């Protein structure tokens, strides 16, 4: 035996070791907690109370020392009461990622997500709000949790096959019926198309106003090599290469309507993904921000100005609103989208840097950070700068819980906290927390 072979692991190869596990309570990332000989195992692809044969994902060399293990369910030995036939055959273990709860009944998904959210808030030490009251609510008129995704990123393999990546995998897998995507995205039939050489990904968008959009992404992609198929109908088409965006049809933007207001967004830019999200979150921010007439407000992580428009209506023409956004293109679109509201202005900056540089306070703030959250430093700056209310829109409950706990320590309290199922058949949760200074 060579010295190298001597050092090779002698146990089963990664993924070869099978365990029989019974899933218990939910944990982060859509997994469930099981135990094997006293050790915690986080299992994906299962449901509460069921017994499965699961593949261990821990590296054989690290199994003995790992504090916990991770595994994925391969066979159901005894189904849990929440298991239903999957809504997406191509999803799940060894399938496409991004629909990890497709085999769990929709009301049960929301019950489980509520438990996860309550647990995260408790563990973070949030005390000013009764965490057991937080229940994940469905989006209005969302009966089956299907057809909601208006922003879909497809992956493309070296042969030009269009699909999606598996969970923690680089492999591109077929999407089949793609049931979570909005109809206008499904009608593009991208899964049946062969992309030109050099295409690495495709962004498909089904906006609420105007045509759908397809953007082919590839560092060295040749725009002249793109032949637009008939199935794309009237969709706008663009190519994003290492040298920038080349629109082939349309101008590389899409349009979104919320109530009476029309927003322009870059075709690859950020907009809330669920087809009802922008409207729902606008209503919640409208009902909770309470920016005073003639007063001041900031919309932090403002994107193209969705919540700044709400704040501007509340402060009126005598007030002031600033939308702060780090992405230059989004900020430019915010400026255009808010052009009819002279009380609204935009700043292109890192939010924490911008707030740190402010002198004087502000009446009300809405913030909607990415998954990494605002962070304790920004929460402390806001605790000192904001006079009346903070509305925190979050797509990641663990960072929200951390940030709420941080601002509670600076004398603020949570007065309302709602959670929404804006990502059905996944474990992701959107939520909105409303904060006020603690009286006295
Ligand atoms: C979840 S989106 C919210 C956008 C907007 N509120 C909406 O609902 O359409 C977060 C936004 O924050 C921006 N962003 C992320 N990190 C940032 C930072 N450190 N400073 C400023 N903007 C940031 C992103 O470009 C993105 O537009």
């Amino acid at each position: 035996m060579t010295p190298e072979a001597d050092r090779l692991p002698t146990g089963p190869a990664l993924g070869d070791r099978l365990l029989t596990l019974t899933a218990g309570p939910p944990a982060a990332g859509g997994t469930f907690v099981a135990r094997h000989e006293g050790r915690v195992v986080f299992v994906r692809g299962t449901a509460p109370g069921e017994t499965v044969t699961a593949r261990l994902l821990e590296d054989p060399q690290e199994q003995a020392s790992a504090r916990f293990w991770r595994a994925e369910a391969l066979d159901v030995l005894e189904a849990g009461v929440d298991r239903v036939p999957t809504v997406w055959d191509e999803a799940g273990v060894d399938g496409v990622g991004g629909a990890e709860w497709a085999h769990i009944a929709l009301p049960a998904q929301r019950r489980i997500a509520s438990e996860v959210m309550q647990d995260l808030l408790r563990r973070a030490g949030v005390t000013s709000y009764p965490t057991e009251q937080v229940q994940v609510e469905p989006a209005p008129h969302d009966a089956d949790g299907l057809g909601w995704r208006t922003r879909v990123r497809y992956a493309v393999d070296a042969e030009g096959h269009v699909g999606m990546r598996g969970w923690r995998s680089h492999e591109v897998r077929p999407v089949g019926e793609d049931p979570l995507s909005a109809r206008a995205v499904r009608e593009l039939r991208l899964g049946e198309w062969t992309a030109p050489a050099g295409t690495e990904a495709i962004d498909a968008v089904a906006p609420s106003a105007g045509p759908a959009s397809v953007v082919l992404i590839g560092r060295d992609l040749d725009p002249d090599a793109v032949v637009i198929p008939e199935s794309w109908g009237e969709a706008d088409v663009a190519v994003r290469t290492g040298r920038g965006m080349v629109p082939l049809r349309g101008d590389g933007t899409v349009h979104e309507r919320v109530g009476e207001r029309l927003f322009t967004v870059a075709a690859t830019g950020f907009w809330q993904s669920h087809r009802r999200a922008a409207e729902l979150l606008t209503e919640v921010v409208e009902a909770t921000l309470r920016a005073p007439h003639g007063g001041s407000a900031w919309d932090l992580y403002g994107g193209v100005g969705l919540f700044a428009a709400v704040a501007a209506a509340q402060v009126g023409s005598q007030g002031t609103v600033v939308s702060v956004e780090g992405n230059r293109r989004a900020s430019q679109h915010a400026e255009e989208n808010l052009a009819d509201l002279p009380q609204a202005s935009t700043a292109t900056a890192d939010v924490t840097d911008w707030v740190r540089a402010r002198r004087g306070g502000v009446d009300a703030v809405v913030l909607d950070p990415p998954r990494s959250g605002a962070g304790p430093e920004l929460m402390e700056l806001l605790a000192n700068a904001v006079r009346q209310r903070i509305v925190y829109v979050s797509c990641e409950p663990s960072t929200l819980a951390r940030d709420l706990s941080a601002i509670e320590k600076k004398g603020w309290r949570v007065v309302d906290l709602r959670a929404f199922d804006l990502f059905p058949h996944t474990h992701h949760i959107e939520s909105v927390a409303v904060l006020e200074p603690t009286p006295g």
Side-chain angles (χ1 to χ4, degrees):
M1 197 185 270
T2 63
E4 286 73 26
D6 206 23
R7 282 200 292 274
L8 288 175
T10 50
L14 182 63
D16 280 357
R17 184 163 169 198
L18 300 183
L19 304 172
T20 300
L21 297 170
T22 298
T31 64
F32 296 87
V33 180
R35 285 189 181 270
H36 178 77
E37 294 170 357
R39 187 186 257 108
V40 166
V41 188
F42 296 108
V43 197
R44 63 182 288 265
T46 185
E50 67 184 17
T51 302
V52 295
T53 304
R55 176 162 64 197
L56 185 62
L57 296 174
E58 240 42 64
D59 191 306
Q61 283 176 317
E62 287 160 18
Q63 281 173 19
S65 58
R67 242 174 358 105
F68 56 81
W69 287 350
R70 291 154 308 146
E72 52 192 13
L74 296 181
D75 281 317
V76 180
L77 301 176
E78 206 176 307
V81 291
D82 298 323
R83 184 170 280 270
V84 291
T86 178
V87 297
W88 193 358
D89 287 335
E90 286 77 8
V93 170
D94 292 334
V96 299
E100 60 282 355
W101 285 357
H103 60 282
I104 299 178
L106 201 51
Q109 293 179 30
R110 292 173 182 148
R111 187 198 73 228
I112 295 164
S114 305
E115 281 173 40
V116 171
M117 178 105 197
Q118 293 170 8
D119 191 49
L120 287 167
L121 291 163
R122 255 192 317 268
R123 282 170 193 265
V126 173
T127 54
S128 61
Y129 192 80
T131 51
E132 68 283 359
Q133 278 184 18
V134 180
Q135 296 293 333
V136 174
E137 307 167 39
H141 314 294
D142 190 356
D144 54 11
L146 303 178
W148 56 268
R149 244 178 212 158
T150 65
R151 264 79 193 152
V152 185
R153 159 83 37 116
Y154 294 96
V156 181
D157 70 12
E159 279 78 51
H161 300 132
V162 181
M164 286 182 190
R165 294 197 193 285
W167 184 74
R168 287 156 55 103
S169 155
H170 289 294
E171 218 176 291
V172 177
R173 296 174 176 156
V175 293
E177 291 294 312
D178 202 359
L180 304 197
S181 294
R183 197 178 64 199
V185 167
R186 285 200 311 273
E187 284 174 354
L188 297 166
R189 306 170 88 82
L190 285 165
E192 297 165 20
W193 188 60
T194 304
T199 312
E200 293 158 24
I202 302 178
D203 276 359
V205 177
S208 54
S213 153
V214 180
V215 180
L216 307 184
I217 300 163
R219 182 174 297 275
D220 302 315
L221 188 54
D222 175 7
D224 293 333
V226 179
V227 180
I228 300 175
E230 239 171 65
S231 57
W232 294 3
E234 300 297 305
D236 285 353
V237 182
V239 173
R240 199 177 79 192
T241 72
R243 291 173 302 284
M245 190 90 143
V246 184
L248 301 182
R249 197 158 68 193
D251 64 0
T253 68
V254 294
H255 301 284
E256 298 284 354
R257 182 177 295 285
V258 181
E260 298 291 296
R261 185 163 285 278
L262 203 59
F263 293 86
T264 299
V265 191
T268 52
F270 180 86
W271 185 258
Q272 306 286 348
S273 185
H274 190 292
R275 65 198 161 90
R276 303 220 175 255
E279 204 180 347
L280 171 65
L281 294 173
T282 294
E283 280 169 23
V284 177
V285 172
E286 230 162 32
T288 54
L289 185 62
R290 298 196 195 157
H293 197 74
S296 57
W298 298 338
D299 173 14
L300 306 179
Y301 306 93
V304 299
L306 178 65
F307 302 136
V310 175
Q314 294 193 345
V315 299
S317 57
Q318 302 304 306
T320 59
V321 173
V322 188
S323 173
V324 185
E325 163 60 44
N327 180 288
R328 187 165 302 281
R329 185 120 196 266
S331 209
Q332 282 163 354
H333 281 137
E335 201 171 317
E336 290 164 30
N337 294 332
L338 303 168
D340 60 319
L341 298 165
Q343 66 270 44
S345 60
T346 62
T348 309
D350 172 80
V351 165
T352 308
D353 290 347
W354 186 88
V355 174
R356 201 189 297 114
R358 285 317 93 199
R359 297 283 163 260
V362 64
D363 292 318
V365 162
V366 52
L367 73 158
D368 180 12
R371 281 190 192 157
S372 50
E377 184 192 352
L378 178 58
M379 295 313 284
E380 185 172 345
L381 291 167
L382 293 178
N384 294 326
V386 184
R387 286 185 284 269
Q388 298 186 5
R389 272 203 157 193
I390 299 173
V391 176
Y392 189 143
V393 181
S394 160
C395 57
E396 175 49 60
S398 63
T399 55
L400 174 73
R402 175 202 66 198
D403 292 344
L404 294 182
S405 170
I407 199 165
E408 274 185 347
K409 293 188 178 75
K410 299 292 161 195
W412 282 64
R413 61 181 179 149
V414 180
V415 294
D416 195 13
L417 181 41
R418 291 178 72 185
F420 301 101
D421 187 14
L422 293 185
F423 310 94
H425 304 291
T426 83
H427 70 279
H428 294 288
I429 307 167
E430 187 81 14
S431 46
V432 184
V434 183
L435 292 143
E436 281 180 356
T438 308

